[in-house]
């Protein structure tokens, strides 16, 4: 029986990367007088590295104009990342980052039907707070039984830590939950923890060759794009997910 839906944040709840985190990184670079700028395509390559701090460290490793001393480089990365998160929160509060279609409806299905909600993300807590406050109000966290972010699970996806921690906090077995993800790293993390996963592919992650999701589609609002028997609803809602989940668990 499905008892909880575990949500990834970036790319799944909202398209946060191209116009959110990427722009915020560029604003932080410029604020610090750095001439670096990540364009849309290059940022897509960098997204293979999960974690904004780790992504930045990865990029700096190939830059001649980044500090060569390891301690200085880490200090700069921490400073940029901190500023980036402030710019990101500002962008979110300007209303620039809408929820993906079908997300609010599915969250409301869960609240109405007593399926618990959780968040399992590699992003920083402050970024999650900014996004959720804008879309669900200041009391948003009360709807979620567990909120696990980068600070709680420092081993980032594709490592399963954030999922195993979430299961532990929920007191549930993996097969009693479903994860909502968008990226190959996210799917790998959920699968490694044994959690069946639904993938609503995001703009940076259209290809999902090497992964084994429970179901894969383009958007919760477009049920006919999913690789599973179409639901009768006009969207992928809780009834539909329950049907797919029950078939997988029984198999
Ligand atoms: C999200 C991430 C994060 C964000 C930026 O991956 O990798 O790093 O891009 O947030 P997922 P931070 O959707 O799989 O959780 O800068 O706070 O890391
Ligand atoms: Mg994601």
């Amino acid at each position: 029986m499905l008892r909880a839906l575990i949500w990834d944040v970036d790319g799944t709840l909202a398209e946060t990367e191209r116009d959110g985190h990427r722009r915020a990184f560029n604003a932080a670079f410029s604020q610090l007088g750095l001439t670096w700028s990540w364009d849309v395509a290059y940022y897509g390559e960098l997204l293979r590295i999960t974690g904004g701090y780790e992504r930045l460290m990865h990029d700096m490793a190939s830059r001649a104009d980044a500090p060569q001393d390891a301690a200085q480089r880490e200090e700069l990365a921490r400073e940029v990342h901190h500023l980036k998160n402030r710019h990101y929160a500002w962008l979110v509060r300007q209303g620039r980052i809408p929820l993906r279609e079908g997300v609010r409806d599915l969250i409301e299905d869960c609240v109405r039907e007593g399926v618990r909600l959780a968040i399992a993300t590699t992003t920083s807590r402050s970024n999650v707070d900014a996004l959720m406050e804008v879309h669900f109000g200041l009391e948003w966290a009360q709807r979620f039984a567990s909120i696990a972010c980068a600070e709680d699970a420092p081993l980032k996806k594709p490592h399963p830590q954030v999922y195993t921690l979430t299961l532990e906090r929920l007191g549930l077995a993996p097969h009693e939950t479903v994860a909502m993800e968008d990226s190959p790293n996210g799917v790998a993390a959920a699968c490694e923890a044994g959690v069946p996963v639904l993938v609503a592919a995001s703009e940076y992650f259209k290809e999902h060759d090497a992964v084994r999701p429970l179901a894969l589609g383009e958007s919760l609002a477009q049920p006919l794009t999913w690789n599973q028997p179409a639901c009768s609803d006009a969207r992928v809602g809780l009834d539909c997910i329950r049907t797919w989940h029950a078939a997988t668990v029984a198999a």
Side-chain angles (χ1 to χ4, degrees):
M1 189 171 157
L2 178 60
R3 297 188 186 281
L5 214 56
I6 307 174
W7 291 85
D8 168 51
V9 174
D10 297 293
T12 299
L13 287 176
E15 290 284 9
T16 55
E17 297 290 5
R18 188 191 65 192
D19 296 332
H21 293 294
R22 185 188 67 88
R23 276 185 200 278
F25 268 114
N26 288 339
F29 295 150
S30 147
Q31 191 177 347
L32 291 171
L34 297 162
T35 54
W36 310 340
S37 178
W38 289 345
D39 67 23
V40 171
Y42 180 58
Y43 191 69
E45 290 169 34
L46 287 177
L47 279 177
R48 287 196 309 266
I49 314 292
T50 48
Y53 172 84
E54 291 81 355
R55 192 169 301 143
L56 182 56
M57 287 294 284
H58 172 86
D59 179 63
M60 280 200 220
S62 62
R63 281 187 185 276
D65 57 347
Q68 297 305 303
D69 174 70
Q72 280 178 11
R73 191 182 295 178
E74 282 166 23
E75 194 187 323
L76 179 59
R78 270 195 299 276
E79 191 179 2
V80 171
H81 190 239
H82 175 72
L83 270 180
K84 184 280 283 181
N85 283 350
R86 293 184 58 177
H87 283 290
Y88 174 81
W90 183 84
L91 286 169
V92 168
R93 291 191 178 113
Q94 297 305 302
R96 308 267 185 98
I97 311 289
L99 292 176
R100 288 188 67 183
E101 281 190 319
V103 164
R104 183 181 296 280
D105 286 334
L106 182 51
I107 287 180
E108 283 170 4
D109 288 348
C110 291
V111 171
R112 197 174 47 248
E113 300 196 28
V115 170
R116 292 158 81 199
L117 292 163
I119 281 179
T121 177
T122 60
T123 202
S124 318
R125 176 66 193 244
S126 63
N127 297 334
V128 179
D129 281 333
L131 186 73
M132 297 303 274
E133 277 173 27
V134 162
H135 294 293
F136 295 99
L138 282 175
E139 308 296 314
W140 74 271
Q142 289 178 9
R143 297 190 192 183
F144 286 77
S146 167
I147 301 163
C149 304
E151 293 84 349
D152 311 287
L155 300 175
K156 298 189 174 174
K157 300 172 188 177
H159 195 284
Q161 187 183 47
V162 73
Y163 278 104
T164 48
L165 175 69
T166 299
L167 292 171
E168 206 177 287
R169 287 182 177 175
L170 293 173
L172 294 176
H175 69 270
E176 296 177 295
T177 68
V178 161
M180 306 297 297
E181 278 284 357
D182 70 300
S183 70
N185 278 330
V187 176
C191 287
E192 190 62 28
V195 175
V197 54
L198 240 78
V199 184
S202 58
E203 54 189 14
Y204 271 120
F205 297 108
K206 296 289 180 210
E207 307 300 324
H208 283 268
D209 295 344
V211 295
R212 307 142 281 160
L214 163 63
L216 167 66
E218 287 175 19
S219 160
L220 293 173
Q222 295 170 41
L224 294 178
T225 64
W226 289 69
N227 66 349
Q228 288 287 330
C231 342
S232 50
D233 292 348
R235 63 183 175 90
V236 175
L238 194 53
D239 287 346
C240 183
I241 293 174
R242 277 199 179 113
T243 307
W244 295 344
H245 175 253
T248 304
V249 169

